[in-house]
Amino acid sequence: MKIAIPVDDKSTKTSVCQSFGRTPYYLIYDTDSKESIFLDNSAVASQGGAGIKAAQTIVDSKVSAIITPRCGENAAEVLKAANIKLYKTINASAQDNIDAFNDGKLSLLEDIHPGFHGHGGK
Amino acid sequence: MKIAVLSGKGGTGKTLVSVNLASVAKKSIYIDCDVEEPNGYLFFKPKNIKSENISISIPFADEKLCSGCRKCIDFCKFNALAFIINKLIVFDDVCHSCGGCVLFCPEKALAEKDKIIGEVQRGVSENVDVITGILNTGEASGVPIIKKLLNNHSEEKEFTFIDCPPGSACIVMESIKDADYCILVAEPTLFGVHNLNMVYELVRLFKKPHAVVLNKCLEGENPAEKFCREKDIKILAKIPFDRELGTLNSNALISVRENQKYRDMFSSMLQIVTKEVQHETVTNS
């Protein structure tokens, strides 16, 4: 299966990005082949609805699970419709999160935030 | 003439100024464009209220006709659409009702439905026609309500006062777009200067004739007044930080209807504005 993590750089040593929708890249890790690729997030500079567009990209990449520190409600709705599971990151590098995922140590992301939508929350 | 009253933050006195100016005019229209939290009606207590729902158009898809080509998704600059497991999802709150997706759909699978986002209430309070825009809680944008508020009233009355939402965002731009004159209300603090500068830049961008009302004036230095002098902005009036005025206002009373002193203050303010607008019309024609 493929898992996705929002990351700051295109490097295996990268840190996790704090935003799901407006992260510059996604690290897509294949748990079967143990290979990582990086995907540009075309939604990063969106005027609005970045989370929706980013989630669409993730769904189209046939990802089964996402490891992220946070996720907004619109993105979560898209991901839910596609039956993609959301896991909460542990405070560490992308690689540490992949290891923790493989060891079954990550918990599901429960707190979906209402989004910022240009108004600093509503 | 249409006079918009605005300020960079809430609580500076937009409603105080616009309600009292509207009341002191012989016949006027007061339009509350602060649709997220309208409060002018609390002072006017209008009678014979007629309400009208305001809706926007939101697209919906006929699943049988949708081929999943995603032309609508690629078109939408607001990313209000997603296509997940052979189903189009529409995010109503993100949609700006442009109708583009419906036009672009090659299968004619998209149509529009109405979604009520708020209402407009019209009533009368003595010499003032009171029009209030109300945006339902949770809705993203009040702009469609403001468009309705400003497009749909008679031009018979000499004065229209537009009580704007706070700040300088889209919703304020929509409110001042057709105004003949803008009154900027400011507080005598450094924070007040920062917020005054926001709306000052906005009215300059829109090339609107404007002047400032300094509210809550105390003895001593007034940073907002200093700002006006530096930028050569006309000061229309200085409203004192006055317990009596504050009490009337917090009891939801209109000060010009209660006390001659305030009637005189707002009358002279209105006279200056009228002169200014006529002067603008002459010099610009």
Side-chain angles (χ1 to χ4, degrees), chain B residues 74-240:
Chain B
D74 294 339
F75 171 78
C76 185
K77 287 290 167 286
F78 298 99
N79 300 317
L81 302 156
F83 189 75
I84 307 297
I85 317 184
N86 299 322
K87 195 170 181 289
L88 191 72
I89 305 177
V90 181
F91 286 85
D92 291 5
D93 290 347
V94 181
C95 175
H96 281 53
S97 303
C98 75
C101 54
V102 179
L103 291 174
F104 271 80
C105 179
E107 310 296 334
K108 307 242 178 301
L110 284 164
E112 287 175 307
K113 61 180 179 192
D114 282 348
K115 181 191 175 200
I116 294 172
I117 58 159
E119 63 179 291
V120 167
Q121 292 184 349
R122 288 156 214 279
V124 179
S125 168
E126 297 178 22
N127 55 326
V128 185
D129 288 356
V130 180
I131 309 178
T132 305
I134 304 165
L135 179 69
N136 290 344
T137 306
E139 293 300 339
S141 171
V143 170
I145 296 181
I146 306 233
K147 280 189 200 291
K148 186 78 186 175
L149 281 170
L150 298 177
N151 279 340
N152 207 5
H153 59 85
S154 72
E155 295 285 328
E156 292 161 30
K157 301 279 162 66
E158 196 183 348
F159 291 103
T160 299
F161 294 92
I162 303 163
D163 192 355
C164 294
S168 55
C170 301
I171 197 163
V172 181
M173 299 183 200
E174 195 65 44
S175 305
I176 67 165
K177 214 171 59 184
D178 298 321
D180 300 304
Y181 198 81
C182 291
I183 298 176
L184 318 178
V185 187
E187 284 179 354
T189 60
L190 283 176
F191 187 42
V193 171
H194 173 264
N195 293 303
L196 172 59
N197 191 37
M198 281 165 51
V199 280
Y200 171 62
E201 285 180 2
L202 182 72
V203 294
R204 295 230 312 175
L205 187 71
F206 275 68
K207 299 189 169 59
K208 296 286 178 191
H210 54 273
V212 168
V213 169
L214 298 168
N215 193 16
K216 307 182 195 179
C217 292
L218 295 155
E219 296 287 318
E221 201 185 328
N222 184 335
E225 185 172 7
K226 197 165 153 249
F227 176 85
C228 292
R229 303 236 181 274
E230 279 167 12
K231 303 275 182 188
D232 201 20
I233 311 168
K234 188 179 177 67
I235 296 169
L236 213 51
K238 291 167 81 171
I239 303 175

